[in-house]
Amino acid sequence: MMVTPVQLCGGVAADLLLGDPRWLPHPVVAMGKWAAWTENAWRASGLPARAAGVAAWCSVVAAVCSVVGATLLVVPAPYVQIYWIYSFLAVRSLDDHARAVVRALRAQDLAAARASVAMMVGRDTGHMTEHDVVRAMIESVAENLSDGVIAPLFWLVVGGPVAMAAYKAVNTLDSMFGHKNERYREFGWCSARMDDLANWIPSRLTAVSIWLTALVVPGLWFQDSVRATLQDAHRQPSPNSGYPEAAAAGALGVQLGGTAYYKGVRVEKARLGFEKRELGPAVYGPMRVMLYAAPLMLCCIAVGGMRWL
């Protein structure tokens, strides 16, 4: 069931206005609980780890698509589509998390800033400097602009709310199972590969949307955003995350990447972008412009295409 321009705009507007209130049960939380139960069930099946992981992936994605599809068939009202679109977007909640970090830094409360950025990233935060905190925050916002905003909208336009729900299930499974450790190297193989595939186009579309934002917004560097993307994006281990991060680094005039610690293990990531301004809390101002402008730009293009069709 495809989405209409009114439903698309309504879902995006609801996310921008409401965000993710704690009192409202969230479908992605339910996905996570179902995925955890499914993991235990398929691990107990006796199948080889990789086969069990494939079966768990299929079980979760099929269940999520069935639930969303059933609600659309049983209650064929516009507000149902709007609810699902709203539920699977994360512009406002991502902004709220980032602003909590900025507020703590401006209050010179580094401990609170570390605690806030720990809600956004999987790396160790206990010994981060202010520079490290800001870098982690900007990298997280850039990557989640793709995973939590542009990719869901892309799949929504391609296949309606069911495709959007399928993408969120794929992304959730990757965050839970797609780890390169002993427990998940085989079991999470399918989840990691399918997430790479689902994000291939959206990650690059996110970079382009950042370029376009930098082209029209004063204080951002369009040419550097394009240059950093073409020069640095492929240097990241992930086939996708480097594109929004490099585009954002170039547009903001900062350098991302470098040293990070994960459970005490030091990891060196490729440097992204060009250091033209200090990497401090003030950088989030123009990053916030990109966070809101990129999905709105994509929505305008999608609505124009729908009306033309």
Side-chain angles (χ1 to χ4, degrees):
M1 184 178 294
M2 301 304 293
V3 68
T4 67
V6 172
Q7 293 160 0
L8 173 60
C9 294
V12 172
D15 177 60
L16 298 181
L17 291 173
L18 301 176
D20 184 15
R22 294 183 179 181
W23 55 265
L24 184 64
H26 202 287
V28 176
V29 176
M31 285 184 199
K33 292 180 178 179
W34 172 242
W37 184 90
T38 304
E39 176 188 0
N40 293 332
W42 282 107
R43 281 188 183 275
S45 68
L47 288 172
R50 183 172 290 194
V54 172
W57 186 91
C58 293
S59 299
V60 173
V61 174
V64 169
C65 292
S66 297
V67 169
V68 174
T71 63
L72 296 172
L73 291 174
V74 173
V75 189
Y79 64 81
V80 177
Q81 285 90 334
I82 290 172
Y83 167 76
W84 287 122
I85 296 168
Y86 155 68
S87 296
F88 295 139
L89 286 177
V91 181
R92 176 68 180 274
S93 61
L94 184 56
D95 183 33
D96 288 344
H97 281 299
R99 285 192 296 138
V101 177
V102 172
R103 284 194 300 269
L105 290 175
R106 287 177 175 165
Q108 298 184 334
D109 190 344
L110 185 56
R114 289 168 174 165
S116 295
V117 83
M119 303 290 290
M120 304 177 67
V121 299
R123 67 191 73 176
D124 301 343
T125 62
H127 299 287
M128 280 185 172
T129 64
E130 178 178 306
H131 179 277
D132 295 333
V133 169
V134 175
R135 177 166 62 89
M137 174 190 67
I138 296 299
E139 289 173 354
S140 177
V141 173
E143 184 175 358
N144 282 286
L145 174 57
S146 177
D147 292 357
V149 182
I150 300 299
L153 286 174
F154 171 79
W155 287 109
L156 172 70
V157 172
V158 169
V162 174
M164 190 184 198
Y167 170 78
K168 290 304 293 185
V170 169
N171 194 238
T172 300
L173 288 166
D174 178 62
S175 67
M176 294 181 67
F177 304 156
H179 307 295
K180 296 178 180 179
N181 55 30
E182 189 63 29
R183 177 176 175 81
Y184 288 111
R185 185 171 289 109
E186 289 297 313
F187 186 88
W189 174 84
C190 177
S191 295
R193 298 292 80 74
M194 294 305 294
D195 185 74
D196 288 344
L197 183 62
N199 279 299
W200 199 90
I201 293 176
S203 63
R204 289 149 179 81
L205 184 61
T206 303
V208 172
S209 69
I210 292 174
W211 297 352
L212 296 177
T213 303
L215 183 63
V216 299
V217 175
L220 297 176
W221 284 274
F222 165 71
Q223 290 183 333
D224 285 346
S225 182
V226 175
R227 187 157 63 99
T229 306
L230 299 179
Q231 172 183 298
D232 299 331
H234 68 279
R235 298 169 62 198
Q236 292 293 78
S238 165
N240 298 316
S241 65
Y243 286 86
E245 290 182 12
L252 294 170
V254 300
Q255 191 172 71
L256 302 177
T259 304
Y261 289 86
Y262 296 84
K263 296 183 178 180
V265 178
R266 177 172 174 158
V267 176
E268 290 292 335
K269 295 185 177 181
R271 303 282 180 173
L272 307 174
F274 319 101
E275 194 171 2
K276 290 189 171 184
R277 60 162 57 127
E278 182 181 356
L279 194 56
V283 171
Y284 186 62
M287 183 73 230
R288 193 180 187 209
V289 172
M290 287 192 285
L291 174 61
Y292 281 90
L296 292 176
M297 194 177 306
L298 180 58
C299 286
C300 289
I301 294 171
V303 168
M306 290 174 188
R307 288 178 175 174
W308 184 79
L309 290 173

